[in-house]
Amino acid sequence: QRVDWVRTECDAFDLFREYPHAFPTYDPENLSYFDHLCDAPTFSHVDRGVEHEHPWWAGFGSSLEAVHRDYFTPFLNATTFRLMNWFYNASLQKSIEDLRRLVDDVMLAEDFNREDLRNFNPAREAKRLDDAEKDPSSSIFSSDGWHEASVKIRLPCEKEKFDSEDDAPIFEVKGLYYRKPLEVLKAAFAEESAKSFHTSPYKLFWQPDEDKPPEHIITELYTSDAMLQEHEKIRSQPHEPGCNLETVVAAIMLWSDSTHLASFSNAAL
């Protein structure tokens, strides 16, 4: 199937994009600030619209439903929540910017109440957060679709020989938590950070000299040929009856971190 491409103008770095069919209805880079791309305790703060600010509740949980209902869970009040949130998200070496956030995000908040800090015990509040995942009534973990399961594995037995693996003793590992892939995707798109997702793939080109052909640049998943091909597959499928929504690819990248086995070698799993 023939695809018509639309092209952007070259930017200051001689880069331009080509989108299949039409320009995207949403481009997250239109909302980007330097604060989104780099950060350091010594950087000065740039005041901007509230809609671009990182939400104060982003440090705890991802469930918007839980945030709207009782955003300071598992703490007893909003004042304690804001103070603990500042503590966990501030830099290790306190800076002027951290001090500003303490004043603006905690002390000057509309729901700040100094009476809530009487008999405040940081160790007790930290333990309250640690114990929240064990509380079935807590919404900050259960509402994100976590499931508890156990895994049974066959183990070798010292000085014992078995005819087959099925005859080996079974050890059950309990207390394993997992989330279904669809629930992870739904939670990810419900987060504030979803505003930065590129759901419309494109081709990126570099052309410093107009007399020479452009060079195809692949920097991210959404500039790869694979995502462009999947985008065309999804776009060509018929919509659900009565649905006029735009169809996009929810791309994910999977990897597994290696485990370093010893401090005196490079052995890893």
Side-chain angles (χ1 to χ4, degrees), residues 94-202:
K94 296 298 180 286
S95 64
I96 295 298
E97 174 62 14
D98 290 324
L99 180 60
R100 184 200 67 79
R101 289 174 179 170
L102 174 62
V103 174
D104 291 350
D105 299 343
V106 180
M107 301 174 66
L108 295 181
E110 293 182 358
D111 50 10
F112 180 83
N113 185 355
R114 57 179 295 183
E115 294 299 320
D116 291 336
L117 294 180
R118 295 192 182 278
N119 301 318
F120 174 75
N121 186 322
R124 180 189 62 213
E125 299 304 329
K127 186 176 185 302
R128 195 189 305 276
L129 181 61
D130 292 338
D131 294 341
E133 62 177 330
K134 305 173 186 176
D135 182 7
S137 63
S138 176
S139 59
I140 64 173
F141 294 103
S142 60
S143 57
D144 278 337
W146 286 95
H147 303 274
E148 184 176 3
S150 62
V151 176
K152 296 180 180 180
I153 57 178
R154 300 281 180 175
L155 295 180
C157 190
E158 187 177 2
K159 298 181 181 180
E160 292 288 341
K161 184 178 291 186
F162 304 97
D163 295 334
S164 68
E165 183 179 336
D166 294 336
D167 297 329
I170 297 176
F171 178 75
E172 184 176 8
V173 182
K174 298 181 179 180
L176 299 178
Y177 289 86
Y178 71 94
R179 296 174 70 187
K180 297 180 179 180
L182 182 57
E183 294 301 321
V184 175
L185 279 174
K186 290 165 61 178
F189 276 90
E191 287 217 11
E192 183 74 9
S193 59
K195 292 181 179 180
S196 64
F197 292 173
H198 282 265
T199 55
S200 297
Y202 57 87

